[in-house]
Amino acid sequence: GAVVSQHPSWVICKSGTSVKIECRSLDFQATTMFWYRQFPKQSLMLMATSNEGSKATYEQGVEKDKFLINHASLTLSTLTVTSAHPEDSSFYICSARPDRPLFGNTIYFGEGSWLTVV
Amino acid sequence: QKEVEQDPGPLSVPEGAIVSLNCTYSNSAFQYFMWYRQYSRKGPELLMYTYSSGNKEDGRFTAQVDKSSKYISLFIRDSQPSDSATYLCAMTTMNTGFQKLVFGTGTRLLVSP
């Protein structure tokens, strides 16, 4: 099946530093990718929609200056958590929808990235 | 009220049991329904997807959608310990190009040998 790769799988950083998470679609092109965060025992909450070649669309309540999204190519989107604080510690997951649907309108998820801010 | 409601569980069953997982929703515009399985500390894995009302079967899994009741179900037959995971329902509308998913909270399933 289609693969979406995230890197790093887990990262620990100091409070006040910035962390970049990459999301790559390995065998398809995706003009649109999505970033979610998931707190323990809670559901996935959409943070933003990443659009190749244009600005990301952020969900209500998500600080765009804190969570910088860059979608530089049709296979890569990055999420940068700037000036990270302990409350930003969470599981960040990306997803991508193939520009040419592989199986219906399926959206594929990455393996997720665990961020711990100390 | 959340757009999608799902019992968080945990739901504990013995191996071989039939499992029923359910979600209710409030937005009648939802047309595309999915079930994802998520193992601990991993990203969600798509299990089933259905469009509009009806049933869909894939191996031991059956997805059922009742739009009139705004109710969807996932049935797992002959459950195995390897089925132990959190099951998330997700749904979306044509208005978003079937891209913007709204998730339930997930139901944690435990299948004991």
Side-chain angles (χ1 to χ4, degrees):
Chain A
V3 177
V4 174
S5 173
Q6 267 186 254
H7 179 80
S9 300
W10 57 271
V11 57
I12 301 173
C13 71
K14 290 184 177 180
S15 187
T17 62
S18 295
V19 174
K20 181 186 286 188
I21 301 170
E22 294 185 347
C23 177
R24 292 181 185 274
S25 55
L26 297 185
D27 48 5
F28 61 87
Q29 293 183 332
T31 300
T32 304
M33 294 185 178
F34 304 88
W35 287 97
Y36 295 80
R37 67 187 296 181
Q38 184 180 33
F39 291 108
K41 298 185 179 180
Q42 293 189 24
S43 188
L44 282 74
M45 297 299 296
L46 180 64
M47 298 175 65
T49 302
S50 172
N51 304 296
E52 190 271 337
S54 64
K55 292 182 179 180
T57 304
Y58 290 82
E59 295 300 302
Q60 190 174 8
V62 177
E63 300 175 58
K64 60 181 180 182
D65 293 330
K66 181 168 185 60
F67 298 100
L68 300 179
I69 292 173
N70 183 271
H71 197 142
S73 76
L74 289 173
T75 59
L76 174 64
S77 175
T78 60
L79 169 69
T80 301
V81 182
T82 63
S83 187
H85 289 95
E87 57 265 31
D88 297 324
S89 299
S90 186
F91 190 45
Y92 292 87
I93 309 174
C94 72
S95 70
R97 178 176 178 269
D99 287 344
R100 293 183 179 182
L102 302 176
F103 300 102
N105 288 298
T106 303
I107 293 176
Y108 298 94
F109 282 82
E111 285 290 287
S113 299
W114 282 96
L115 170 63
T116 301
V117 184
V118 297
Chain B
Q1 181 188 9
K2 293 181 182 177
E3 274 193 291
V4 180
E5 299 276 0
Q6 186 176 8
D7 187 335
L11 175 62
S12 296
V13 301
E15 183 175 358
I18 297 175
V19 175
S20 173
L21 303 164
N22 312 293
C23 288
T24 59
Y25 62 94
S26 58
N27 187 351
S28 58
F30 286 136
Q31 293 176 288
Y32 200 66
F33 305 90
M34 288 143 282
W35 285 95
Y36 286 86
R37 177 173 62 194
Q38 186 177 24
Y39 291 110
S40 182
R41 296 178 173 260
K42 296 289 186 180
E45 170 194 7
L46 180 67
L47 283 177
M48 303 275 293
Y49 65 92
T50 55
Y51 179 73
S52 200
S53 287
N55 291 357
K56 185 174 182 179
E57 186 174 324
D58 184 3
R60 296 186 295 113
F61 299 91
T62 299
Q64 196 173 77
V65 174
D66 183 348
K67 291 196 72 181
S68 63
S69 302
K70 297 189 180 67
Y71 188 87
I72 68 171
S73 300
L74 177 71
F75 298 97
I76 307 174
R77 291 183 298 280
D78 188 24
S79 56
Q80 302 295 310
S82 58
D83 294 329
S84 298
T86 296
Y87 289 81
L88 297 148
C89 64
M91 43 201 82
T92 185
T93 71
M94 188 170 62
N95 294 342
T96 65
F98 298 112
Q99 296 189 85
K100 194 169 175 179
L101 301 183
V102 179
F103 283 88
T105 53
T107 298
R108 186 173 169 221
L109 171 66
L110 302 172
V111 182
S112 56

